[in-house]
Amino acid sequence: MPLSEIVGLILIFFIGSVLLTDILLLFFLKGDSSKDIATSLFDETNLPRVSVLVAARNEEATLSRCIRSLLSQQYPADKIEILIGNDASTDKTEVIARSFERESALLKVINIDHDMGSARGKANVLAQLAREASGEVYLITDADMSLPSTWCKAMVAAFEKDTGMVTGYTAINENSLFASFQAIDWAYAIGMMKVVSDLGTPVTGMGNNMAVLAKAYHQTGGYENMPFSVTEDFQLTRAILSRCYGFKQLISPPVTGITLPAASIKGLLHQRKRWMSGALQLPVAIVAVLGLQAIYYPLAAVLIVFYPWSILLVIAKGVVQSWFVYRTVRLSALPVKIGALVLFEFYSAIISLSTLLFSILPSGIKWKDRHY
């Protein structure tokens, strides 16, 4: 058999594997099933005290929106506290946080001026906020998030007797075509994580939208006793799962938060490079799937050169992936911009290749005006 045919068959196998993966994702994607009351950890008559932990560094543009959404939670006022960790901000973040602190007894601002143990950056802020928290459940979000008023109660309601962590759904404010592309990218990734999680292999909590049982968190020793990672949510997930706790991933309107998109290509690439550093620690099978996704477009381009008819496989993959994203987003009851979905493959081809190249550069990771 000529070498060109062998290469072609190998490429068809890889492209077919990506298509099959998307078909399986679509088949296994399910909404959140109703929970057996007998397995519930909390109910309406037994709501736990919750501590909302927010790490804030130079967030003057977004912090007010976040705090207002947290102060509007439909949760008993005597069972909720909101802790804002001001992480050495050089803008008006502390001024804004203090103004809300004066207006509401639910909110407390804590200045973070030193590192604790091995923790750095956001992990260090959360480590110190957890030391101050009095809740049975820690709800963790970011200062650029806006949460629905149902968020606290819905996240708490998802805990069952063996659950250590619950993660919600985060969408992106689609204020531009670039933002819409990012929203689709997020939906695909989160939908994929939900399918894998529902099949019994949890991937990671979302650091801007998750709840952790306080007891489970402290059994890990806290962030100050974990090896430092720029993907602190992944690190905590691994630590909690290692203590034999269960994990729940939700996609539904009551737990859907809205965050802001990366403002530039450079910012997006730094974000994705940070995520990839955590992804490399996942099980081999999941890393293999992610690797296939990363090199899919170059392989597809070469395959089309060898076999022009294979463009049908590429089109089929685009259709199946688009339908998967559409279904994922609709589970949250958010609208889907069909135009952006149609154009997404072109964006994804450019960003996937750019991310691959950017990730192998020797430069570090820039995150919240710090270099790691």
Side-chain angles (χ1 to χ4, degrees):
M1 181 181 292
L3 179 61
S4 61
E5 290 187 16
I6 295 175
V7 172
L9 289 174
I10 292 173
L11 291 175
I12 288 173
F13 171 77
F14 280 120
I15 301 306
S17 297
V18 174
L19 173 59
L20 178 61
T21 298
D22 283 344
I23 291 172
L24 291 174
L25 288 172
L26 184 60
F27 178 79
F28 285 109
L29 179 65
K30 309 293 182 184
D32 300 324
S33 58
S34 57
K35 185 175 60 174
D36 184 352
I37 295 177
T39 65
S40 298
L41 186 59
F42 308 112
D43 57 40
E44 286 285 346
T45 63
N46 180 36
L47 289 175
R49 180 167 176 78
V50 300
S51 299
V52 182
L53 313 183
V54 183
R57 175 171 168 80
N58 295 339
E59 299 284 3
E60 65 178 12
T62 60
L63 185 58
S64 294
R65 183 184 71 140
C66 176
I67 291 177
R68 288 193 182 97
S69 72
L70 295 176
L71 291 175
S72 299
Q73 292 298 305
Q74 299 171 6
Y75 206 82
D78 62 336
K79 292 189 175 184
I80 183 173
E81 64 177 357
I82 302 166
L83 304 181
I84 309 293
N86 172 41
D87 185 15
S89 297
T90 57
D91 64 2
K92 296 181 180 178
T93 292
E94 183 182 359
V95 173
I96 293 169
R98 295 290 182 192
S99 68
F100 281 98
E101 184 180 40
R102 288 191 294 271
E103 295 175 7
S104 175
L106 301 182
L107 192 141
K108 181 179 180 181
V109 180
I110 299 169
N111 281 329
I112 308 299
D113 55 12
H114 66 281
D115 291 333
M116 180 180 289
S118 60
R120 300 290 183 270
K122 181 181 176 182
N124 177 55
V125 179
L126 295 177
Q128 297 193 43
L129 294 183
R131 290 288 185 96
E132 298 286 336
S134 61
E136 296 174 66
V137 174
Y138 299 157
L139 285 147
I140 301 173
T141 189
D142 285 348
D144 60 359
M145 285 282 286
S146 177
L147 290 312
S149 60
T150 51
W151 182 62
C152 281
K153 188 172 287 188
M155 294 287 278
V156 164
F159 278 88
E160 297 183 351
K161 292 180 179 178
D162 67 337
T163 308
M165 176 180 284
V166 174
T167 193
Y169 182 71
T170 298
I172 288 181
N173 183 4
E174 299 183 50
N175 52 20
S176 67
L177 182 60
F178 181 44
S180 294
F181 287 149
Q182 291 179 60
I184 293 169
D185 213 358
W186 274 54
Y188 180 69
I190 295 174
M192 181 164 43
M193 288 192 297
K194 177 168 176 57
V195 169
V196 175
S197 175
D198 288 350
L199 292 175
T201 308
V203 179
T204 182
M206 293 286 292
N208 57 14
N209 191 341
M210 65 183 185
V212 181
L213 199 65
K215 180 175 67 173
Y217 173 82
H218 288 293
Q219 284 179 9
T220 70
Y223 277 118
E224 63 269 34
N225 290 304
M226 297 180 198
F228 172 69
S229 171
V230 290
T231 50
E232 86 298 328
D233 44 8
F234 176 80
Q235 191 82 344
L236 180 59
T237 304
R238 297 294 100 189
I240 286 178
L241 291 176
S242 71
R243 269 70 181 177
C244 299
Y245 281 98
F247 178 95
K248 297 283 291 294
Q249 180 152 356
L250 310 175
I251 303 180
S252 61
V255 297
T256 296
I258 307 294
T259 189
L260 297 178
S264 66
I265 294 290
K266 185 177 181 180
L268 178 63
L269 291 177
H270 274 287
Q271 181 188 71
R272 290 171 71 106
K273 185 172 183 176
R274 181 170 68 86
W275 290 347
M276 285 184 69
S277 69
L280 293 175
Q281 302 174 57
L282 291 169
V284 174
I286 297 177
V287 172
V289 170
L290 293 176
L292 271 178
Q293 296 285 350
I295 62 174
Y296 166 78
Y297 293 101
L299 293 181
V302 173
L303 179 60
I304 291 171
V305 171
F306 276 97
Y307 300 104
W309 61 264
S310 64
I311 195 171
L312 296 176
L313 287 176
V314 175
I315 292 172
K317 183 263 186 187
V319 170
V320 174
Q321 178 179 289
S322 295
W323 183 237
F324 176 75
V325 169
Y326 180 86
R327 284 190 54 199
T328 299
V329 176
R330 291 307 298 151
L331 288 176
S332 70
L334 291 173
V336 180
K337 294 187 176 180
I338 302 300
L341 197 56
V342 171
L343 297 172
F344 176 74
E345 285 293 307
F346 299 100
Y347 162 87
S348 187
I350 295 170
I351 292 298
S352 295
L353 183 57
S354 299
T355 300
L356 191 61
L357 294 174
F358 189 74
S359 295
I360 62 178
L361 291 176
S363 61
I365 297 170
K366 185 178 180 181
W367 183 33
K368 296 294 182 182
D369 298 321
R370 290 191 176 112
H371 292 270
Y372 297 92

